[in-house]
């Protein structure tokens, strides 16, 4: 790692960066792209990024959040120097180690140990430096005897361990990480987060992309929200993530009242859906341990003889946390006819660890003992917060007693 960069010095300066890709690549445009003069975008070309500006000082962690296709990976590639911007400029200082794609720089026929030497040299390290750090890399990767096996035999998690271990041992000024930690197990992710904290304390800057909003809040000093190539928010991670969750919720409600029913069902149109507190006020940030209700109002478009009303709770990545419905609870429901309006609600106490989640409501029709889904309500994204930290999914709110005997 370079030692002549003072604390607070900007390692990265991005000014007015944009990136577009041609919608149609004709012969004439292909020839023009080889010409020294930059090719101008046309009206139907796709802009992956538009007018992005940011600074990343030494020793800071900057997180990028946004839905798939928002431009996060494109921006990382431009900052890493792997892709040229169409407009604007990027200034870099110090050494940059991009960890953008699983197994990038690895030869599948080489062993893990041989690939350490190969990929490490791509990062600018000498063979002597890599040989000296070999044991530290192998220890962090923790893949045992597989270090001497061809990497084509590795699982995605083993790939991630080795790639991250090599990257952090190159001692960069700036580490760029794009979702690679998501493929590792929980223990590996925890060790990576601890190492990122250590690197930050040592003055390494980190540009971090993840859909793990808890990690984003824990690791990052600031965050940026990208949407359709534009920067929508930039600042404290907590506030940026709040905006992101609001956008996710709004996206689920874009069709609004009287919307067409979901294609998979077609039994009803959703008029409203929301999370509310005990006073009936809509909320998007929920306090752990408090009671809330998820409710929806729907207008049926056809008859449903035996409706089953359901709720499901998921992590943002889709892991099932809780499912409940009126069939499981033994509740009898009335048949509905076309034109009927029904409001249904699930009241619950939030026994979750702090984090970000998705809640969905739906309806099925019970026909000859089999539940057939007939429609779903747009997913509601929300954040669970608490003054008392806890980790995992279920919050058992344990009481701890320690006695000296």
């Amino acid at each position: 790692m370079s030692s002549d960069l003072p604390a607070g010095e900007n390692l990265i300066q991005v000014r007015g960066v944009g990136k577009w890709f041609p919608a149609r690549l004709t012969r004439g445009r292909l020839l023009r792209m080889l010409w020294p003069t930059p090719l101008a975008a046309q009206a139907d070309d796709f802009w992956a990024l538009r007018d992005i500006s940011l600074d990343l000082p030494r020793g800071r962690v900057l997180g990028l959040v946004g839905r798939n296709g928002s431009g996060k990976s494109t921006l990382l590639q431009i900052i890493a120097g792997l892709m040229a911007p169409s407009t604007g400029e990027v200034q870099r200082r110090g050494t940059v180690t991009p960890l953008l794609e699983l197994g990038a720089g690895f030869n599948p026929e080489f062993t893990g140990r041989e690939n350490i030497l190969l990929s490490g040299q791509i990062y600018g390290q000498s063979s002597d430096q890599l040989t000296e750090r070999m044991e530290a890399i192998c220890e962090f990767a923790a893949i045992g005897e597989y270090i001497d096996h061809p990497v084509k035999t590795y699982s995605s998690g083993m790939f991630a361990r080795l790639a991250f271990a090599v990257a952090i041992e190159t001692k960069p000024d700036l580490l760029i990480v794009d979702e690679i930690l998501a493929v590792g197990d929980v223990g590996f992710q925890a060790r990576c987060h601890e190492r990122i904290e250590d690197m930050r304390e040592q003055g390494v800057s980190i540009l971090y992309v993840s859909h793990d909003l808890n990690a984003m809040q824990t690791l990052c000093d600031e965050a940026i929200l990208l949407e359709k190539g534009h920067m929508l928010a930039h600042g404290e991670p907590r506030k940026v993530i709040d905006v992101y969750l609001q956008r996710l919720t709004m996206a689920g409600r874009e069709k609004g009242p009287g919307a067409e029913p979901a294609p998979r069902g077609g039994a009803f149109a959703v008029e409203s859906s929301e999370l509310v507190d005990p006073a009936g006020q809509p909320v998007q940030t929920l306090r752990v341990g408090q009671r809330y209700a998820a409710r929806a109002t729907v207008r049926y478009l056809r008859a449903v003889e035996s409706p089953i009303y359901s709720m499901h709770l998921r992590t943002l990545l889709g892991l099932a946390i809780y499912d409940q419905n009126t069939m499981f609870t033994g509740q009898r429901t009335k048949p509905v006819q076309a034109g009927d309006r029904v409001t249904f609600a699930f009241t619950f106490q939030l026994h979750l660890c702090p984090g970000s989640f998705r809640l969905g409501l739906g309806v099925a029709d019970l026909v000859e003992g089999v539940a057939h889904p007939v429609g779903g309500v747009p997913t509601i994204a929300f954040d669970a917060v608490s003054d008392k930290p806890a980790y995992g999914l279920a919050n058992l709110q344990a009481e701890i007693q320690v006695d000296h005997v």
Side-chain angles (χ1 to χ4, degrees), residues 388-399:
K388 299 179 180 180
Y391 299 95
L393 291 178
N395 191 335
L396 304 183
Q397 297 182 322
E399 295 180 1

Side-chain angles (χ1 to χ4, degrees), residues 275 286 294 310-316 318-324 348-353 356-361 379-382 384 393:
L275 280 170
L286 282 59
S310 64
M311 181 187 91
H312 62 263
L313 182 64
R314 303 285 186 269
T315 66
L316 291 184
L319 177 65
I321 300 174
Y322 181 75
D323 287 279
Q324 186 57 283
F348 56 90
Q349 193 154 2
L350 193 69
H351 289 304
L352 294 174
C353 290
S356 301
F357 304 92
R358 294 186 290 123
L359 185 147
L361 301 172
T379 300
I380 303 171
F382 71 91
L393 291 178

Side-chain angles (χ1 to χ4, degrees), residues 253-260 269-273 297 299:
R253 297 177 176 173
E254 281 179 354
K255 293 184 179 180
E260 290 300 318
V270 180
E271 294 190 352
S272 67
S273 63
T297 298
R299 177 173 50 83

Side-chain angles (χ1 to χ4, degrees), residues 61 103 203 330 346:
V61 180
F346 286 76

